Amino acid sequence: MVSDPLRTEIVDLSENAAGDETINAIVDSRREIADGVIELVFRAADGGDLPRWEPGAHVDIVLDDGAIRQYSLCGDPSDRKTLRVAVLREQEGRGGSRRIHSELRAGSSVELKGPRNHFPLHESPRYLFIAGGIGVTPLIPMMRAVEAAGAEWRFIYGGRSESTMGYVDELRDLGDRVTIWPQETNGLIDLDGLLGTAEEGTLVYSCGPEPLLAAVEAHCESWPAGALNIERFTAIEVDTSEDTGFEVELAQTGVTVQVSKDQTILEVVTEAGVYVPTSCTEGTCGSCETPILEGTAEHRDVVLSPEEQESQETMMICVSRAACPRLVLDL
């Protein structure tokens, strides 16, 4: 059995795992936790310790054909023997979740990569957590962490119906700080009541479907910079009709490449023989994050915060482009 998934502490973010580790794993257990949602608990195939991770981290599940899907860790960071994820079967997705549902059973061998964390939990005296559906998963270890740290917090958990919402009983055990909000009985989450007045010293963490996240962002426009922290599972839609070509210098290798309007930086750099870790190729996982030495990027990822994008320190080269004629990257 996996240990109590929420009994943890806020961890020093300087101890992040490297994130590119390959883990040969076994499915230790599988169970259905809601309609269309299964929980998978992994252990190392050799029985050894698994990599350290922190609340907000995710792992890649590598399918037999090399396809990769990312899932947030929702177990206990202090448990070095197991990793826990929950997988929603997405009928309209690309097929990865359907394959995981149909192919992975207790005892199945599977390759994992990570963990990586692009949704870190920052220290604060107060927190407001807002989840929709499967977006609950990265917030579970966060809530236990802030509880252990003695911070104030509230959690509002929305979904179509209670039967589709995983971990409801587990979360209710946390007491009256948790509000379960099924849409079929309560309607949409009352974001006006939650976010209508900016609260100094409160961090907002939200994860879930795009309509919820867009609404949370709109309601937090008047909040202090950095107060809102969001994790998206899907790429944003971008109008590419006015894309143009540009030049990229690779500082480490001394190579300069031309990126046409129909190419990504990642594609051109890979063709030039430069290895860059990659996974989603959609700007959602953060694997290909690359330092910018000169120039300005047009950011199209959903990993970096607005403040991080504005700083122009790094970019996701699988989707982001140059907002200038020439970029110099640390590659």
Side-chain angles (χ1 to χ4, degrees), residues 155-158 162 165 167-168 171-172 178-182 186:
F155 174 47
I156 292 80
Y157 180 18
E162 193 165 312
M165 300 164 67
Y167 301 116
V168 168
L171 291 164
R172 279 201 172 109
V178 173
T179 300
I180 306 299
W181 196 291
N186 294 17

Side-chain angles (χ1 to χ4, degrees), residues 281-293:
T281 68
E282 294 183 335
T284 62
C285 75
S287 302
C288 66
E289 184 172 6
T290 300
I292 303 169
L293 300 181

Side-chain angles (χ1 to χ4, degrees), residues 30-39 101 163:
R30 166 182 166 142
R31 66 183 178 117
E32 185 171 347
I33 59 170
D35 294 345
V37 182
I38 58 171
E39 174 193 87
H101 272 245
S163 67

Side-chain angles (χ1 to χ4, degrees), residues 203-224:
L203 294 183
V204 179
Y205 278 81
S206 187
C207 186
E210 182 56 32
L212 171 65
L213 298 184
V216 169
E217 282 184 318
H219 281 81
C220 284
E221 287 182 354
S222 64
W223 283 58

